[in-house]
Amino acid sequence: MTDRFLEGRVALVTGSTSGIGLAIAQGLGAAGARVAVNGLGSAAQVGAAVDAVRLAGAPDARHFDADLSDAAAIEKMMAALAEWGPADIVVNCAGVQHTAPIAEMPTATWDKLIAINLSAAFHTMRLALPGMAARGYGRVVNIASVHGLVASVNKSPYVASKFGLVGMSKVAGLEYAGAGSRDTGGVTVNCVCPGWVETPLIEPQIAARAEAVGGDRDAGVRELLREKQPSGRMSLPAEIADTVLWLCRRQSHNLTGAAIPIDGGWTAQ
Ligand SMILES: NC(=O)c1ccc[n+]([C@@H]2O[C@H](COP(=O)([O-])OP(=O)(O)OC[C@H]3O[C@@H](n4cnc5c(N)ncnc54)[C@H](O)[C@@H]3O)[C@@H](O)[C@H]2O)c1
């Protein structure tokens, strides 16, 4: 049976209608948290995500609608969450990607990517952290990327947003390091930095590689991994969720301001 160590806690997971965020929302639900699901998608996709989180074991799960590129929408979502919650755990997972050389990157794409991947996390954190400190327990886990630690070509806004997320999380980790106690669990802020994870986000990149090597999807995956991820294996979303869960434990009270790579050795090189 799953350890229900998050019984009585409330968690917000942005970008949890798909991929890594959905797996994290399921993991937190399985550990007993009530889960606020956020993310885009059709009514059917949103409904399926909420159902999946409930099925995983969440005592309650609800969709909190907000387009995270809109700061006012985030404020509205956080106000609604303060009544349903308030949030003890905030996982900023929503993210988008666009690949192009810097000289060809549309400026509107830059603005949108920075807004969703970086500024949205600033807004959820500034609104959630004071309450966490007052209650003595809080966890912010920002899903950055290896691209918050090292760069790759053609990803200027993505890399900028993820380096920004790592830096901002260190600042918040320091600002809240003294909140709470060992007994209450304290307030910590960390980043998880995955390498390649099997989700819809990277399908266009797999398809491009597959086409370049005149092969099928498997050939595209091999090509993508061969370049940078020494393990030769992609992570599964549920495996990223396990690290997030571990960060949420009371015993992790002194683990703050860190950027944890899950990248098969990518950033060890
Ligand atoms: N898949 C990978 O290989 C990989 C590697 C490293 C980091 N990441 C990061 O993990 C996070 C999740 O990625 P994923 O692979 O699960 O992608 P995904 O495309 O499966 O999911 C992205 C989620 O973000 C949501 N989202 C996008 N724009 C939004 C907006 N404007 N407002 C609200 N929600 C929005 C989507 O609805 C979806 O729920 C991202 O931050 C991504 O940068 C992914």
Side-chain angles (χ1 to χ4, degrees), residues 10-102:
V10 172
L12 165 68
V13 186
T14 72
S16 53
T17 51
S18 171
I20 299 170
L22 177 55
I24 292 170
Q26 289 176 285
L28 293 167
R34 287 193 289 136
V35 181
V37 171
N38 158 268
L40 307 178
S42 63
Q45 190 184 3
V46 167
V50 171
D51 286 349
V53 174
R54 287 214 180 103
L55 204 65
D60 197 3
R62 225 187 90 177
H63 184 238
F64 285 76
D65 200 13
D67 179 338
L68 299 179
S69 62
D70 177 352
I74 298 173
E75 283 205 18
K76 221 170 128 194
M77 173 182 79
M78 294 305 285
L81 182 62
E83 286 184 21
W84 189 72
D88 303 297
I89 297 164
V90 172
V91 181
N92 288 300
C93 188
V96 288
Q97 173 66 287
H98 184 88
T99 57
I102 195 162

Side-chain angles (χ1 to χ4, degrees), residues 14-22 38-41 45 66-70 92-97 112 116-117 143-147 158 161-162 165 192-202 205 234-235 237 240:
T14 72
S16 53
T17 51
S18 171
I20 299 170
L22 177 55
N38 158 268
L40 307 178
Q45 190 184 3
D67 179 338
L68 299 179
S69 62
D70 177 352
N92 288 300
C93 188
V96 288
Q97 173 66 287
K112 191 167 178 202
I116 296 168
N117 291 12
I143 308 304
S145 166
V146 282
H147 287 116
Y158 189 80
S161 70
K162 297 300 187 179
L165 205 48
V192 172
C193 299
W196 295 115
V197 187
E198 228 171 312
T199 74
L201 184 86
I202 65 165
Q205 296 175 72
M234 281 207 269
S235 294
I240 307 301

